Amino acid sequence: MAMAISAWRLGFHFSATTDNSLRVLEKPIFRVPFLNASSGFISTKPCYFLHKRRLLSSGTTIIPRAAAPATDVQNGNQGETDIVPTPIVIIDQDLDPDATVVEITFGDRLGALLDTMRALKDLGLNVVKANVFLDSSGKHNKFSITKADTGRKVEDPELLEAIRLTIINNLIQYHPESSSQLAMGAAFGLLPPKEQVDVDIATHINISDDGPDRSLFYVETADRPGLLVDLVKSITDIDIAVESGEFDTEGLLAKAKFHVSYKGKAISKPLQQVLANSLRYFLRRPATEESSF
């Protein structure tokens, strides 16, 4: 008999069978548009899933500028420079108790992102608030998102990953030069990353107490499709509750911050070591095959 496992008390929920195996979806969660390298036309590709201490870097890469599509309705400003900024997508479950907050930054190149908001609506979501602010790192587009059918924040990790990949895919579609800066560029973009991130070198895990009733878990690692879902499942598989958190995509890296607990208390030092070792082993496994998304 199947039972529901609460992965986030204030964030994610997903279903698992009694042996804790994540339900395999037989149908794609959604279809994402991508540019066909040979024809230049936009096609779609099904997406499947098998299963604040924010660190921002200022790294940039110099590559030949790719021409944006002639019908770029998002109307970003690429300026007169060939220096490609680092794309950043943040999904924050802590900031607003009633909505999932998404923040997108790509230097000063992003426009109003109307097509991105339409794509989110196609996932059964409402954008209830949107604003833009500028700082030294660029232009930040921030959305507050709720589920259209409930009016509540998004709690399903599979849907949160669908939101993340939809945003990244739209970014690649309207700003092809971002493709070489994103791990998903190898799957959806015209310009794949020139170098792959070494998982062993890129992975950093830290767990610290965050009061008597919970701990703060932080992980930084090489990004790939489905990573958010897999991280949450790996944590809850050892009976640790994920209460809330934030998931950042920063170029080729993914950075997650989760508030976690064990039986309503902060995680003990021995269990912290178990969690860290379990995550390091999991992240060193081969990435999800391309055929699965």
Side-chain angles (χ1 to χ4, degrees):
M1 178 179 179
M3 64 179 180
I5 295 179
S6 174
W8 293 74
R9 275 186 288 178
L10 302 176
F12 300 157
H13 296 277
F14 64 87
S15 296
T17 58
T18 52
D19 63 353
N20 290 330
S21 61
L22 186 63
R23 171 173 50 85
V24 178
L25 299 183
E26 296 177 353
K27 296 181 180 179
I29 296 174
F30 64 104
R31 300 185 69 88
V32 289
F34 69 100
L35 294 174
N36 187 297
S38 59
S39 65
F41 293 104
I42 297 175
S43 307
T44 61
K45 186 171 186 177
C47 245
Y48 296 86
F49 294 101
L50 290 180
H51 7 236
K52 163 157 183 211
R53 194 178 51 159
R54 183 180 305 162
L55 302 181
L56 299 179
S57 70
S58 58
T60 56
T61 303
I62 300 177
I63 64 170
R65 186 193 309 165
T71 57
D72 185 354
V73 295
Q74 307 214 112
N75 195 28
N77 176 25
Q78 285 189 245
E80 297 299 325
T81 177
D82 288 330
I83 300 178
V84 180
T86 300
I88 300 172
V89 178
I90 296 168
I91 298 177
D92 194 335
Q93 294 288 79
D94 285 335
L95 194 60
D96 189 329
D98 301 316
T100 297
V101 178
V102 174
E103 184 178 319
I104 310 167
T105 306
F106 187 45
D108 62 353
R109 303 187 180 204
L110 298 180
L113 300 183
L114 297 179
D115 280 63
T116 295
M117 286 191 277
R118 278 193 288 267
L120 294 174
K121 185 177 181 179
D122 289 342
L123 293 177
L125 304 168
N126 286 333
V127 178
V128 295
K129 187 190 303 182
N131 60 70
V132 177
F133 65 93
L134 298 171
D135 63 16
S136 59
S137 64
K139 181 180 179 182
H140 301 255
N141 295 65
K142 184 177 286 190
F143 307 136
S144 294
I145 300 171
T146 60
K147 295 186 65 176
D149 58 349
T150 65
R152 299 173 65 88
K153 70 193 303 178
V154 181
E155 297 180 334
D156 181 359
E158 293 176 350
L159 183 53
L160 285 164
E161 181 70 339
I163 291 169
R164 185 173 80 100
L165 293 188
T166 296
I167 291 170
I168 290 173
N169 212 45
N170 266 39
L171 181 60
I172 291 173
Q173 177 184 343
Y174 290 100
H175 296 275
E177 73 278 14
S178 70
S179 174
S180 65
Q181 297 273 62
L182 291 160
M184 255 60 84
F188 306 136
L190 292 172
L191 297 170
K194 293 182 179 180
E195 297 181 3
Q196 296 297 316
V197 176
D198 187 302
V199 174
D200 288 331
I201 296 175
T203 299
H204 303 281
I205 297 173
N206 183 65
I207 307 170
S208 59
D209 290 338
D210 188 26
D213 297 329
R214 66 181 189 178
S215 301
L216 183 64
F217 168 76
Y218 176 84
V219 58
E220 175 180 331
T221 191
D223 191 24
R224 60 175 174 80
L227 181 60
L228 189 156
V229 178
D230 289 341
L231 281 174
V232 173
K233 180 183 183 297
S234 295
I235 296 170
T236 56
D237 273 353
I238 54 177
D239 296 326
I240 293 175
V242 182
E243 299 180 5
S244 63
E246 176 184 321
F247 192 93
D248 301 354
T249 306
E250 186 178 330
L252 301 175
L253 298 176
K255 302 178 181 182
K257 180 199 73 173
F258 297 139
H259 299 290
V260 297
S261 64
Y262 179 70
K263 296 183 177 180
K265 298 296 181 181
I267 300 174
S268 65
K269 296 298 182 182
L271 190 53
Q272 288 182 16
Q273 192 61 50
V274 170
L275 176 58
N277 291 342
S278 174
L279 261 294
R280 285 193 181 94
Y281 172 78
F282 163 76
L283 292 169
R284 287 185 178 127
R285 293 187 309 178
T288 305
E289 294 181 0
E290 183 176 347
S291 59
S292 67
F293 59 88

